[in-house]
Amino acid sequence: MGERLNLIDAHGRTVNYARISLTDRCNYRCLYCMPERGVESIPHSQIISYEEVLFLVGWMFRAGIRKARFTGGEPFVRKGLIPFLHRVNETVPDMKIALTTNGSLLKKYAEEIRALRLAGINISLDTLNDEKFSMITRGGMLSEVLLGIDAIADFGIPIKMNVVLIRGFNDEEIPDMLDYASNRGILLRLIEFMPLDNEVWAKGRYISSFEVVEKLSKLADWTPVALKNEDSSPIGPAKYYANESTAQRIGIISAVSSHYCESCNRLRVNSSGMLRPCLFSNSSLDLRPALISRNSEELFKIFTSALNMKPKIGVKQSMDESRHMVQIGG
Ligand code: SAM
Ligand code: SF4
């Protein structure tokens, strides 16, 4: 494939963003993300190698993808992450690369992170309370995440704090989270709890984005003003609001109550190289043989099929074992 391609799906949407999971393993066990018993790990031999991911990212760039987000599981638990990211920076310099992490290992790798060219780091942090943090992550330590955030806060890398809102667990913490984020120049994003996993999903725990906006309006010092798309960069599934008096921005991700499918610009690749056309689709396409043989033409065919499979609106399918977010990559 010499010429640049445009990845446009059957509904006219341009795909220019890929989420790539580098591992299905994680050092946390978040209640909403995986069952208590854990999930069966993919054997190491089936995990896409860094060389294969490099080839994939290079191909994706030539195919019009401009941003790749590396996720997991927890990307920092995969050995060699930092050298791999350096190689992406070197070999595909114009690809924007970003990370989604639970933040637990940020302090350990802070100096190495500083040397990378990262377009952003999203940190999942659902509560600022030690005990609740340990409970939701099944054993994680809040202090390690907070120290990690402080360690990288002045690197100039845009940081987002992603919070999955769960009724009765963290919905009363929104004012504290707004303060925490504002004091560190972090963008807070509140995410609707998604019913991907039958074992942990409970309707009563779900809070819609409409309710969040209502909650914001009721805060003494918050008047949320919806930002127009062009003001609410970066584009994506979040709707952005600004506080009228302070201009602090907040993102609300409503994957459940109001689909952002119309403007969906993404594809997902899991850690065994399965290309998932839509977060909510159960079918995926195997990239691994094409990656192993470095076959660009075959990749093009598979991506074309995936684009044709992208539904206009993603509909939650019946649950199966591979529906845990830790395996999909979020
Ligand atoms: N370990 C990393 C982290 O926690 O950020 C990256 C992978 S994690 C699967 C990616 C994102 O998926 C996290 O922000 C997490 O909160 C989100 N997530 C997991 N299960 C979810 C669910 N049921 N509903 C909404 N978001 C979920
Ligand atoms: Fe691990 Fe992230 Fe899932 Fe929590 S949300 S269990 S940190 S993959």
Side-chain angles (χ1 to χ4, degrees), residues 26 28-30 32-34 72-74 102 326:
C26 188
Y28 287 174
R29 296 257 170 293
C30 300
Y32 50 72
C33 182
M34 66 160 95
E74 173 49 40
N102 62 27
V326 70

Side-chain angles (χ1 to χ4, degrees), residues 22-181:
L22 295 175
T23 179
D24 62 331
R25 288 160 172 80
C26 188
N27 52 347
Y28 287 174
R29 296 257 170 293
C30 300
L31 285 173
Y32 50 72
C33 182
M34 66 160 95
E36 188 159 18
R37 63 180 185 282
V39 292
E40 205 176 316
S41 299
I42 300 172
H44 282 291
S45 61
Q46 285 173 30
I47 300 280
I48 29 176
S49 70
Y50 282 137
E51 290 299 325
E52 288 158 14
V53 183
L54 268 177
F55 174 72
L56 176 64
V57 173
W59 182 86
M60 282 177 163
F61 187 77
R62 297 198 299 282
I65 302 242
R66 289 293 172 263
K67 182 167 178 183
R69 173 173 299 283
F70 297 110
T71 171
E74 173 49 40
F76 280 97
V77 303
R78 180 159 175 183
K79 275 198 198 116
L81 176 72
I82 301 274
F84 161 74
L85 295 173
H86 273 295
R87 290 197 60 204
V88 179
N89 273 165
E90 280 156 20
T91 54
V92 201
D94 293 327
M95 179 70 97
K96 286 191 179 137
I97 59 169
L99 290 172
T100 297
T101 172
N102 62 27
S104 60
L105 294 166
L106 286 175
K107 185 164 187 293
K108 177 172 175 189
Y109 291 108
E111 282 314 306
E112 293 162 78
I113 291 170
R114 187 202 289 271
L116 289 166
R117 216 167 48 251
L118 288 176
I121 301 187
N122 289 1
I123 301 166
S124 306
L125 176 53
D126 299 319
T127 172
L128 294 170
N129 173 288
D130 288 301
E131 278 157 36
K132 289 205 277 181
F133 185 85
S134 169
M135 194 268 271
I136 196 84
T137 57
R138 295 198 182 96
M141 269 173 63
L142 175 64
S143 58
E144 60 188 5
V145 179
L146 299 184
L147 289 171
I149 293 176
D150 288 343
I152 64 159
D154 65 354
F155 289 178
I157 303 170
I159 300 176
K160 292 183 210 142
M161 168 173 164
N162 283 344
V163 176
V164 175
L165 266 191
I166 302 174
R167 192 184 307 283
F169 173 71
N170 57 5
D171 49 333
E172 298 302 321
E173 281 190 65
I174 295 175
D176 294 342
M177 290 172 175
L178 281 166
D179 283 348
Y180 175 83

Side-chain angles (χ1 to χ4, degrees), residues 1-7 14-16 59-66:
M1 188 189 75
E3 291 306 300
R4 180 180 160 190
L5 301 167
N6 273 324
L7 297 177
T14 299
V15 170
N16 53 20
W59 182 86
M60 282 177 163
F61 187 77
R62 297 198 299 282
I65 302 242
R66 289 293 172 263

Side-chain angles (χ1 to χ4, degrees), residues 256-281:
V256 180
S257 63
S258 62
H259 286 287
Y260 50 85
C261 303
E262 212 175 281
S263 58
C264 181
N265 62 343
R266 62 196 53 201
L267 288 169
R268 292 177 159 78
V269 179
N270 81 1
S271 56
S272 55
M274 300 302 290
L275 179 64
R276 190 184 278 263
C278 165
L279 176 62
F280 294 105
S281 54

Side-chain angles (χ1 to χ4, degrees), residues 307-325:
L307 290 174
N308 287 330
M309 285 162 68
K310 257 181 99 61
K312 192 168 182 191
I313 293 181
V315 180
K316 184 166 73 67
Q317 311 286 318
S318 60
M319 309 290 177
D320 65 27
E321 258 303 292
S322 69
R323 306 294 306 152
H324 301 294
M325 200 66 115

